[in-house]
Amino acid sequence: MLAKRARLYDIVAFLVVVVVLALDQWTKALVVEHLSPPESKPPIPLIGQYLVVYYIQNRGAAFGVLSNSVFLSVLIAIAIAVVAYLYLRILNSGPFAFKPIFGMIIGGALGNLLDRAHNGGYVVDFISFRIPQIGYYFAIFNVADACISVGVFLLFVAIVFGGFQHKREEDSTKQAPTMTKSGTLRSREQDAQP
């Protein structure tokens, strides 16, 4: 029964990958269709002047980091290898909380890789968060970047807090008393003693 549930969790992770990938590619196609050529049209406000759509072609990593760097391909390959290794360790097992998180990260990575392969080395970035009153302009990003960033943050939180929770559960099962044949309560440590 547990293996069947774990396989269902893997299906959820796969569906998250598909949804993230589809949403990322669809939004990028809309931006390219309506805002080409890049950087030629004024920003389109989504939430006033704070969240806008502005099309650029990013040859760097997420948020424009390592633009045109030789190390970028190596770092992307290492990141994908680490995520794949971590996911394979919990394939057909592991708690549900990790599955959609890995789905977000993998879907985002695939979205940007597909975009980079299709566009000759660049990705379409178009989401811009800014606070003009104080001169704050965050890097322009896309749906894939957002999913990767949120997924990595949630993975960190799940590992930190999930690890503590798992340890507490083990401690509580070790100390939980059991009923003997004579009707007295004994701890598991006492049961282990001869």
Side-chain angles (χ1 to χ4, degrees), residues 66-128:
L66 296 175
S67 185
N68 295 320
S69 174
V70 175
F71 298 107
L72 179 59
S73 297
V74 174
L75 289 176
I76 290 172
I78 290 170
I80 291 171
V82 168
V83 170
Y85 170 76
L86 291 173
Y87 191 82
L88 288 175
R89 290 196 60 187
I90 63 166
L91 185 66
N92 292 327
S93 66
F96 175 75
F98 287 101
K99 302 298 180 154
I101 292 171
F102 275 110
M104 288 175 68
I105 296 169
I106 293 168
L110 288 175
N112 277 342
L113 283 176
L114 183 63
D115 205 32
R116 203 173 289 280
H118 180 260
N119 296 325
Y122 70 84
V123 295
V124 172
D125 282 346
F126 58 91
I127 303 169
S128 178

Side-chain angles (χ1 to χ4, degrees), residues 9-50:
Y9 295 167
D10 289 326
I11 291 170
V12 169
F14 176 75
L15 291 175
V16 171
V17 169
V18 170
V19 168
V20 167
L21 187 59
L23 184 62
D24 178 62
Q25 294 301 298
W26 176 66
T27 54
K28 287 173 179 173
L30 280 176
V31 166
V32 170
E33 180 182 344
H34 295 289
L35 297 178
S36 287
E39 303 181 42
S40 65
K41 302 205 173 157
I44 300 170
L46 294 177
I47 302 176
Q49 55 189 344
Y50 304 106

